[in-house]
Amino acid sequence: MTPDADPHGHEEVLTRLYADHAASLLAFVLRLTGGDRQRAEDVVQETLLRAWRHADRLGDADGRSPRPWLVTVARRIVIDEHRGSRARPAEALGHDLDLVAEEDHADRVLQGVMLRQVLRTLRPAHREILVETYIEGRTVAEAAQRLGLPLGTAKSRIYYALSALRAALADQEVAR
């Protein structure tokens, strides 16, 4: 049945349903769709289309409000869409392949090798404090305790070790 061929007055029922219930139905469906307005509007449109198809049952002949029926239908549409999207695998079309490509770790490996080489050129005291704090992830206080150093000595060693590391990297033209 098309809206033009409406011998039973369904169009009048649909107009009344839209005027009386569309705004509150949209607010309800917006909550169900997590605020996705376009999806919510599609659900309300589908709900009202189904109401138009069942207009003979939604008339006010018995005095009951059609809102519970509309809310139930809208809720079921959202649930069906959710279940359907979970049942289908995610589509890969339209995705930028650069966004899904795996990261190349060659630069990171090369930097790690170069850093180990530069660390070997440092004095053992500087190397061990840098390893404890930057590589092992310990705090300065933890590193000082582990190495048996006073906290002030550990702090100054980190300062001078980082200066020596910068100089060694600059010598190898790695510093950026």
Side-chain angles (χ1 to χ4, degrees):
M1 176 184 292
T2 64
D4 294 335
D6 189 12
H8 304 292
H10 290 107
E11 187 174 336
E12 179 184 316
V13 171
L14 181 61
T15 302
R16 191 171 20 84
L17 286 174
Y18 182 81
D20 294 345
H21 304 287
S24 59
L25 189 61
L26 179 62
F28 172 73
V29 176
L30 273 169
R31 287 190 303 268
L32 293 178
T33 60
D36 184 344
R37 186 166 186 89
Q38 182 177 359
R39 193 165 150 233
E41 288 174 352
D42 289 344
V43 170
V44 169
Q45 180 179 3
E46 177 63 26
T47 303
L48 291 174
L49 177 64
R50 291 182 189 185
W52 178 75
R53 289 182 187 143
H54 298 94
D56 54 329
R57 288 192 267 168
L58 293 176
D60 284 335
D62 56 3
R64 290 185 302 167
S65 171
R67 188 169 293 182
W69 186 90
L70 293 169
V71 167
T72 301
V73 169
R75 185 176 157 275
R76 287 180 180 165
I77 291 170
V78 172
I79 290 170
D80 289 345
E81 285 180 357
H82 179 70
R83 286 179 180 160
S85 68
R86 287 179 45 208
R88 289 187 299 270
E91 295 180 11
L93 299 175
H95 291 284
D96 188 359
L97 293 180
D98 291 336
L99 297 176
V100 294
E102 193 164 320
E103 184 180 338
D104 182 12
H105 299 287
D107 286 339
R108 191 170 168 190
V109 171
L110 181 61
Q111 288 174 350
V113 168
M114 294 176 80
L115 182 60
R116 279 191 286 281
Q117 288 175 349
V118 171
L119 281 172
R120 286 188 196 117
T121 66
L122 299 179
R123 293 183 20 212
H126 289 165
R127 183 173 47 246
E128 69 184 1
I129 195 72
L130 289 178
V131 167
E132 288 295 321
T133 54
Y134 286 94
I135 295 175
E136 297 296 328
R138 293 186 175 87
T139 64
V140 177
E142 292 170 339
Q145 183 179 8
R146 187 167 168 92
L147 296 173
L149 300 171
L151 184 59
T153 304
K155 288 180 179 181
S156 65
R157 277 197 189 166
I158 289 174
Y159 174 80
Y160 290 111
L162 287 174
S163 295
L165 182 62
R166 278 189 211 97
L169 289 171
D171 287 345
Q172 292 199 9
E173 297 180 295
V174 177
R176 295 176 199 245

PDB file of all heavy atoms in Angstrom, residues 11-29:
ATOM      1  N   GLU A  11      -3.200   7.478   6.647  1.00  0.00           N
ATOM      2  CA  GLU A  11      -2.344   8.672   6.620  1.00  0.00           C
ATOM      3  C   GLU A  11      -2.681   9.595   7.784  1.00  0.00           C
ATOM      4  O   GLU A  11      -1.794  10.168   8.410  1.00  0.00           O
ATOM      5  CB  GLU A  11      -2.500   9.406   5.291  1.00  0.00           C
ATOM      6  CG  GLU A  11      -1.519  10.541   5.136  1.00  0.00           C
ATOM      7  CD  GLU A  11      -1.584  11.165   3.750  1.00  0.00           C
ATOM      8  OE1 GLU A  11      -2.010  10.501   2.796  1.00  0.00           O
ATOM      9  OE2 GLU A  11      -1.198  12.344   3.657  1.00  0.00           O
ATOM     10  N   GLU A  12      -3.938   9.710   8.101  1.00  0.00           N
ATOM     11  CA  GLU A  12      -4.352  10.545   9.228  1.00  0.00           C
ATOM     12  C   GLU A  12      -3.793   9.990  10.547  1.00  0.00           C
ATOM     13  O   GLU A  12      -3.319  10.734  11.399  1.00  0.00           O
ATOM     14  CB  GLU A  12      -5.880  10.608   9.292  1.00  0.00           C
ATOM     15  CG  GLU A  12      -6.399  11.428  10.448  1.00  0.00           C
ATOM     16  CD  GLU A  12      -7.923  11.371  10.530  1.00  0.00           C
ATOM     17  OE1 GLU A  12      -8.582  11.478   9.490  1.00  0.00           O
ATOM     18  OE2 GLU A  12      -8.408  11.202  11.666  1.00  0.00           O
ATOM     19  N   VAL A  13      -3.828   8.675  10.696  1.00  0.00           N
ATOM     20  CA  VAL A  13      -3.291   8.038  11.907  1.00  0.00           C
ATOM     21  C   VAL A  13      -1.793   8.288  11.995  1.00  0.00           C
ATOM     22  O   VAL A  13      -1.277   8.639  13.058  1.00  0.00           O
ATOM     23  CB  VAL A  13      -3.592   6.516  11.906  1.00  0.00           C
ATOM     24  CG1 VAL A  13      -2.868   5.812  13.040  1.00  0.00           C
ATOM     25  CG2 VAL A  13      -5.088   6.275  11.990  1.00  0.00           C
ATOM     26  N   LEU A  14      -1.110   8.142  10.877  1.00  0.00           N
ATOM     27  CA  LEU A  14       0.347   8.356  10.861  1.00  0.00           C
ATOM     28  C   LEU A  14       0.684   9.805  11.187  1.00  0.00           C
ATOM     29  O   LEU A  14       1.597  10.076  11.968  1.00  0.00           O
ATOM     30  CB  LEU A  14       0.932   7.976   9.503  1.00  0.00           C
ATOM     31  CG  LEU A  14       2.439   8.132   9.379  1.00  0.00           C
ATOM     32  CD1 LEU A  14       3.167   7.240  10.382  1.00  0.00           C
ATOM     33  CD2 LEU A  14       2.887   7.801   7.975  1.00  0.00           C
ATOM     34  N   THR A  15      -0.058  10.755  10.647  1.00  0.00           N
ATOM     35  CA  THR A  15       0.171  12.172  10.927  1.00  0.00           C
ATOM     36  C   THR A  15      -0.022  12.449  12.414  1.00  0.00           C
ATOM     37  O   THR A  15       0.786  13.150  13.035  1.00  0.00           O
ATOM     38  CB  THR A  15      -0.788  13.048  10.097  1.00  0.00           C
ATOM     39  OG1 THR A  15      -0.590  12.750   8.719  1.00  0.00           O
ATOM     40  CG2 THR A  15      -0.532  14.517  10.332  1.00  0.00           C
ATOM     41  N   ARG A  16      -1.048  11.873  13.001  1.00  0.00           N
ATOM     42  CA  ARG A  16      -1.296  12.059  14.425  1.00  0.00           C
ATOM     43  C   ARG A  16      -0.201  11.396  15.268  1.00  0.00           C
ATOM     44  O   ARG A  16       0.277  11.960  16.251  1.00  0.00           O
ATOM     45  CB  ARG A  16      -2.667  11.503  14.790  1.00  0.00           C
ATOM     46  CG  ARG A  16      -3.094  11.894  16.186  1.00  0.00           C
ATOM     47  CD  ARG A  16      -4.548  11.553  16.514  1.00  0.00           C
ATOM     48  NE  ARG A  16      -5.205  10.556  15.697  1.00  0.00           N
ATOM     49  CZ  ARG A  16      -5.103   9.227  15.898  1.00  0.00           C
ATOM     50  NH1 ARG A  16      -4.391   8.767  16.872  1.00  0.00           N
ATOM     51  NH2 ARG A  16      -5.752   8.401  15.106  1.00  0.00           N
ATOM     52  N   LEU A  17       0.220  10.186  14.859  1.00  0.00           N
ATOM     53  CA  LEU A  17       1.296   9.501  15.578  1.00  0.00           C
ATOM     54  C   LEU A  17       2.579  10.328  15.544  1.00  0.00           C
ATOM     55  O   LEU A  17       3.273  10.463  16.550  1.00  0.00           O
ATOM     56  CB  LEU A  17       1.558   8.121  14.974  1.00  0.00           C
ATOM     57  CG  LEU A  17       0.534   7.040  15.266  1.00  0.00           C
ATOM     58  CD1 LEU A  17       0.863   5.788  14.469  1.00  0.00           C
ATOM     59  CD2 LEU A  17       0.480   6.743  16.743  1.00  0.00           C
ATOM     60  N   TYR A  18       2.882  10.864  14.368  1.00  0.00           N
ATOM     61  CA  TYR A  18       4.099  11.665  14.231  1.00  0.00           C
ATOM     62  C   TYR A  18       4.015  12.906  15.122  1.00  0.00           C
ATOM     63  O   TYR A  18       4.940  13.218  15.861  1.00  0.00           O
ATOM     64  CB  TYR A  18       4.316  12.061  12.772  1.00  0.00           C
ATOM     65  CG  TYR A  18       5.592  12.845  12.574  1.00  0.00           C
ATOM     66  CD1 TYR A  18       6.809  12.202  12.474  1.00  0.00           C
ATOM     67  CD2 TYR A  18       5.571  14.235  12.525  1.00  0.00           C
ATOM     68  CE1 TYR A  18       7.988  12.911  12.318  1.00  0.00           C
ATOM     69  CE2 TYR A  18       6.734  14.959  12.368  1.00  0.00           C
ATOM     70  CZ  TYR A  18       7.943  14.295  12.260  1.00  0.00           C
ATOM     71  OH  TYR A  18       9.101  14.999  12.113  1.00  0.00           O
ATOM     72  N   ALA A  19       2.908  13.601  15.074  1.00  0.00           N
ATOM     73  CA  ALA A  19       2.752  14.836  15.847  1.00  0.00           C
ATOM     74  C   ALA A  19       2.779  14.566  17.347  1.00  0.00           C
ATOM     75  O   ALA A  19       3.372  15.327  18.113  1.00  0.00           O
ATOM     76  CB  ALA A  19       1.450  15.532  15.459  1.00  0.00           C
ATOM     77  N   ASP A  20       2.174  13.473  17.777  1.00  0.00           N
ATOM     78  CA  ASP A  20       2.051  13.197  19.211  1.00  0.00           C
ATOM     79  C   ASP A  20       3.244  12.460  19.810  1.00  0.00           C
ATOM     80  O   ASP A  20       3.511  12.595  21.008  1.00  0.00           O
ATOM     81  CB  ASP A  20       0.789  12.360  19.486  1.00  0.00           C
ATOM     82  CG  ASP A  20      -0.486  13.116  19.169  1.00  0.00           C
ATOM     83  OD1 ASP A  20      -0.426  14.354  19.010  1.00  0.00           O
ATOM     84  OD2 ASP A  20      -1.545  12.456  19.068  1.00  0.00           O
ATOM     85  N   HIS A  21       3.960  11.679  19.002  1.00  0.00           N
ATOM     86  CA  HIS A  21       4.940  10.761  19.591  1.00  0.00           C
ATOM     87  C   HIS A  21       6.357  10.833  19.008  1.00  0.00           C
ATOM     88  O   HIS A  21       7.275  10.270  19.614  1.00  0.00           O
ATOM     89  CB  HIS A  21       4.435   9.320  19.465  1.00  0.00           C
ATOM     90  CG  HIS A  21       3.092   9.108  20.075  1.00  0.00           C
ATOM     91  ND1 HIS A  21       2.887   9.075  21.433  1.00  0.00           N
ATOM     92  CD2 HIS A  21       1.868   8.945  19.502  1.00  0.00           C
ATOM     93  CE1 HIS A  21       1.606   8.885  21.683  1.00  0.00           C
ATOM     94  NE2 HIS A  21       0.950   8.809  20.520  1.00  0.00           N
ATOM     95  N   ALA A  22       6.563  11.453  17.880  1.00  0.00           N
ATOM     96  CA  ALA A  22       7.869  11.404  17.217  1.00  0.00           C
ATOM     97  C   ALA A  22       8.978  12.017  18.070  1.00  0.00           C
ATOM     98  O   ALA A  22      10.073  11.453  18.177  1.00  0.00           O
ATOM     99  CB  ALA A  22       7.819  12.081  15.848  1.00  0.00           C
ATOM    100  N   ALA A  23       8.731  13.144  18.700  1.00  0.00           N
ATOM    101  CA  ALA A  23       9.780  13.824  19.475  1.00  0.00           C
ATOM    102  C   ALA A  23      10.211  12.982  20.670  1.00  0.00           C
ATOM    103  O   ALA A  23      11.409  12.795  20.919  1.00  0.00           O
ATOM    104  CB  ALA A  23       9.296  15.192  19.935  1.00  0.00           C
ATOM    105  N   SER A  24       9.251  12.450  21.418  1.00  0.00           N
ATOM    106  CA  SER A  24       9.615  11.635  22.586  1.00  0.00           C
ATOM    107  C   SER A  24      10.227  10.308  22.147  1.00  0.00           C
ATOM    108  O   SER A  24      11.134   9.785  22.802  1.00  0.00           O
ATOM    109  CB  SER A  24       8.415  11.410  23.488  1.00  0.00           C
ATOM    110  OG  SER A  24       7.384  10.764  22.781  1.00  0.00           O
ATOM    111  N   LEU A  25       9.758   9.762  21.042  1.00  0.00           N
ATOM    112  CA  LEU A  25      10.328   8.523  20.514  1.00  0.00           C
ATOM    113  C   LEU A  25      11.773   8.747  20.078  1.00  0.00           C
ATOM    114  O   LEU A  25      12.646   7.920  20.347  1.00  0.00           O
ATOM    115  CB  LEU A  25       9.470   8.019  19.347  1.00  0.00           C
ATOM    116  CG  LEU A  25       9.793   6.634  18.813  1.00  0.00           C
ATOM    117  CD1 LEU A  25       9.619   5.582  19.892  1.00  0.00           C
ATOM    118  CD2 LEU A  25       8.897   6.315  17.619  1.00  0.00           C
ATOM    119  N   LEU A  26      12.042   9.889  19.454  1.00  0.00           N
ATOM    120  CA  LEU A  26      13.412  10.213  19.046  1.00  0.00           C
ATOM    121  C   LEU A  26      14.314  10.349  20.267  1.00  0.00           C
ATOM    122  O   LEU A  26      15.436   9.840  20.279  1.00  0.00           O
ATOM    123  CB  LEU A  26      13.445  11.494  18.217  1.00  0.00           C
ATOM    124  CG  LEU A  26      14.831  11.941  17.745  1.00  0.00           C
ATOM    125  CD1 LEU A  26      15.459  10.899  16.836  1.00  0.00           C
ATOM    126  CD2 LEU A  26      14.741  13.282  17.033  1.00  0.00           C
ATOM    127  N   ALA A  27      13.827  10.997  21.313  1.00  0.00           N
ATOM    128  CA  ALA A  27      14.632  11.143  22.540  1.00  0.00           C
ATOM    129  C   ALA A  27      14.947   9.774  23.135  1.00  0.00           C
ATOM    130  O   ALA A  27      16.064   9.510  23.578  1.00  0.00           O
ATOM    131  CB  ALA A  27      13.892  12.012  23.550  1.00  0.00           C
ATOM    132  N   PHE A  28      13.965   8.876  23.150  1.00  0.00           N
ATOM    133  CA  PHE A  28      14.153   7.526  23.667  1.00  0.00           C
ATOM    134  C   PHE A  28      15.192   6.768  22.836  1.00  0.00           C
ATOM    135  O   PHE A  28      16.115   6.153  23.370  1.00  0.00           O
ATOM    136  CB  PHE A  28      12.808   6.790  23.674  1.00  0.00           C
ATOM    137  CG  PHE A  28      12.910   5.329  24.000  1.00  0.00           C
ATOM    138  CD1 PHE A  28      13.173   4.911  25.295  1.00  0.00           C
ATOM    139  CD2 PHE A  28      12.732   4.372  23.010  1.00  0.00           C
ATOM    140  CE1 PHE A  28      13.265   3.562  25.602  1.00  0.00           C
ATOM    141  CE2 PHE A  28      12.822   3.024  23.306  1.00  0.00           C
ATOM    142  CZ  PHE A  28      13.092   2.619  24.603  1.00  0.00           C
ATOM    143  N   VAL A  29      15.052   6.837  21.523  1.00  0.00           N
ATOM    144  CA  VAL A  29      15.953   6.085  20.640  1.00  0.00           C
ATOM    145  C   VAL A  29      17.366   6.677  20.661  1.00  0.00           C
ATOM    146  O   VAL A  29      18.341   5.942  20.543  1.00  0.00           O
ATOM    147  CB  VAL A  29      15.377   6.024  19.206  1.00  0.00           C
ATOM    148  CG1 VAL A  29      16.331   5.346  18.255  1.00  0.00           C
ATOM    149  CG2 VAL A  29      14.043   5.288  19.199  1.00  0.00           C
TER     150      VAL A  29
END
